[in-house]
Amino acid sequence: MVATNRRVDLIHERVDVALRVRTTLDTDATLTVRTLARSRRILVASPEWARRLGGEQALESLASVPTLSSVEQAGQDVWVLVGPGQRTATVRHEPRLACGDFLALREAAIAGLGVSLMPDHSCGAALCSGQLVRVFPDWHAPDGMVHLVFTSRRGLPLPVEALIGHLAEHVRDALMWGEAT
């Protein structure tokens, strides 16, 4: 099992199946794709950070507050957000923490380390419990499609077929009901 946010080459890296989230599926034309659900990344922070931001802050203020990003390397990051009337905004920022693990990002946001752009299903329980709150709730990243990618439906080993069936059944429900961690 490989857990990464980078694009994996299934054939060259000998990966049987990948679980991906993309805004478009055009890059997987030579592979078999099975769409499971939609995912929306939202801006979240601890209640303390939300109070610091205040209710009337402009979206551009994100560039000057500590942020937590899902990129896997340090350096500047860019968040493209969609808001009221399908307006778009680009926020360039230098993350305090850059990490490809959404569990670690969620815990860092809960600990008050900054604002994070996270999949709603990754932080749903923390939002319900009040550990996290949405900031700039009218803004979110473009919706992504959660999908499985594999090389072919023919000739798959039985364990791979079983994994695909299991993921198709359970990932959709977990994402839909906010049970994913």
Side-chain angles (χ1 to χ4, degrees):
M1 184 167 125
V2 177
T4 182
N5 280 334
R6 74 172 170 79
R7 183 175 173 77
V8 173
D9 183 328
L10 274 66
I11 295 168
H12 288 98
E13 295 183 50
R14 301 186 56 151
V15 173
D16 293 315
V17 63
L19 178 64
R20 294 182 176 164
V21 180
R22 301 280 189 270
T23 56
T24 61
L25 300 179
D26 57 353
T27 59
D28 297 321
T30 61
L31 301 171
T32 302
V33 176
R34 184 165 181 185
T35 301
L36 304 178
R38 291 207 172 271
S39 176
R40 175 169 285 178
R41 290 183 300 146
I42 58 175
L43 294 161
V44 297
S46 67
E48 177 187 343
W49 257 112
R51 281 190 293 278
R52 285 186 200 173
L53 286 172
E56 299 301 319
Q57 291 289 327
L59 189 62
E60 293 77 25
S61 68
L62 283 175
S64 63
V65 300
T67 55
L68 313 171
S69 180
S70 62
V71 296
E72 292 187 344
Q73 66 281 348
Q76 189 178 63
D77 189 13
V78 178
W79 289 340
V80 177
L81 303 171
V82 178
Q86 295 303 303
R87 287 189 356 232
T88 60
T90 301
V91 178
R92 296 181 192 290
H93 60 102
E94 185 86 27
R96 170 183 270 181
L97 172 66
C99 175
D101 183 333
F102 288 121
L103 174 60
L105 288 175
R106 182 184 66 209
E107 294 305 310
I110 289 169
L113 295 180
V115 176
S116 186
L117 182 64
M118 297 193 63
D120 51 6
H121 56 84
S122 293
C123 58
L127 287 167
C128 288
S129 71
Q131 293 175 295
L132 289 176
V133 296
R134 286 193 68 176
V135 294
F136 306 102
D138 294 336
W139 293 89
H140 58 84
D143 287 349
M145 291 169 270
V146 180
H147 58 283
L148 298 173
V149 183
F150 43 100
T151 55
S152 170
R153 289 188 188 274
R154 295 170 48 175
L156 284 176
L158 288 176
V160 174
E161 282 186 39
L163 175 64
I164 291 169
H166 175 80
L167 291 172
E169 180 179 343
H170 295 288
V171 168
R172 179 179 298 128
D173 290 341
L175 292 176
M176 188 177 290
W177 300 110
E179 296 168 1
T181 56

